[in-house]
Amino acid sequence: MSLRNIRVVLVNTSHPGNIGGAARAMKNMGLSRLVLVDPQDFPSPEADARASGATDILENAQVVGCLEDALVGCGLVFGTSARERRIPWPLVDPRECASAALAEVAGGGDVALVFGREYAGLTNEELQRCQFHVHIPSDPGFSSLNLASAVQVLSYEARMAWLHHEESNDGSQKPLGDVGGDGDAERVTSDELERYFGHLEETLVDIGFLDPQRPRHLMSRLRRLYGRCGIERLEMNILRGILTETQKVVRGEPHKRRKD
Ligand code: SAH
């Protein structure tokens, strides 16, 4: 098993020095895949300087325009946050995050650890793209770590979990939210889940359950619910099928319902 399948995603970073610092932290701990979402200043000599000998991670870093593009192919996405948000979300500490991340990687999946802007963190919308939130249990009176330091803490925990896994090799980590299912079945990836949420929202509008003028927190709450389940591909096909048939009924198109 390899830490290569755990990617670090930095969203809209303003200081290139922090990108370099994050790359160094990653390389120290054996992580290698860095994805930068709309960085404000990159590539940059300051990033190279702070990376020290980790410039290879910067050279291979993938730069994308939006968070969705950074998460393509991920079965499990963790969003980091320095403070509590309005809608409580399943929250783990860095150790639990690492254990679940390793379990996902052991099952052949990809994992993303998402970090926010220096001044504003991640938006609520970005955090809702993540199945779990991770909070480093810092002093509540001064809770926000430097971005590269936060990357260091999560990378360190990932390494520790990996070392334990290599030592024991008993595969004892259990995926978070693992509540049964077909065992070996593949979990849906973040992009598939996004397409599902789009379809769900459209259907809820079609049936009049969701008022686009007054959406309240309906989609956020549904995202949180689905995020807890660890949905498998077969299950997603069922859910998609239900939506498609529901839309046909609402639109008066031919559908599967029998007339008896
Ligand atoms: N003022 C911002 C702080 C952002 S710190 C806010 O209130 O959200 C920059 C980034 O470092 C955060 O988005 C997060 O990714 C990470 N970070 C900092 N402190 C953290 C903590 N205690 N737990 C988890 N992540 C943290």
Side-chain angles (χ1 to χ4, degrees), residues 9 79-83 85 94 114-122 134-139 142-151 154:
V9 178
T80 53
S81 181
R83 60 198 158 92
R85 304 297 173 130
V114 186
F115 296 85
R117 298 156 188 83
E118 289 91 334
Y119 298 109
L122 294 167
V134 191
H135 177 67
I136 300 164
S138 44
D139 189 310
F142 192 60
S143 65
S144 174
L145 278 77
N146 163 265
L147 173 59
S149 305
V151 171
L154 263 70

Side-chain angles (χ1 to χ4, degrees), residues 128-201:
Q128 286 169 17
R129 296 273 180 284
C130 310
Q131 287 106 319
F132 292 91
H133 291 172
V134 191
H135 177 67
I136 300 164
S138 44
D139 189 310
F142 192 60
S143 65
S144 174
L145 278 77
N146 163 265
L147 173 59
S149 305
V151 171
Q152 182 75 77
V153 172
L154 263 70
S155 304
Y156 167 75
E157 290 294 347
R159 181 160 195 82
M160 288 302 282
W162 179 74
L163 288 172
H164 284 137
H165 183 274
E166 294 294 287
E167 237 169 54
S168 59
N169 212 5
D170 62 358
S172 60
Q173 283 107 338
K174 287 269 175 290
L176 283 172
D178 189 10
V179 287
D182 291 339
D184 292 340
E186 246 183 280
R187 275 215 226 185
V188 287
T189 57
S190 168
D191 34 315
E192 288 166 326
L193 207 52
E194 275 315 304
R195 283 195 289 278
Y196 172 70
F197 287 133
H199 195 178
L200 178 61
E201 187 167 6

Side-chain angles (χ1 to χ4, degrees), residues 195-207 210 212 215 219 222-223 243 247:
R195 283 195 289 278
Y196 172 70
F197 287 133
H199 195 178
L200 178 61
E201 187 167 6
E202 195 184 278
T203 311
L204 293 176
V205 171
D206 282 355
I207 63 171
L210 172 63
M219 287 313 296
L222 289 171
R223 279 175 177 278
L243 295 182
Q247 287 184 309

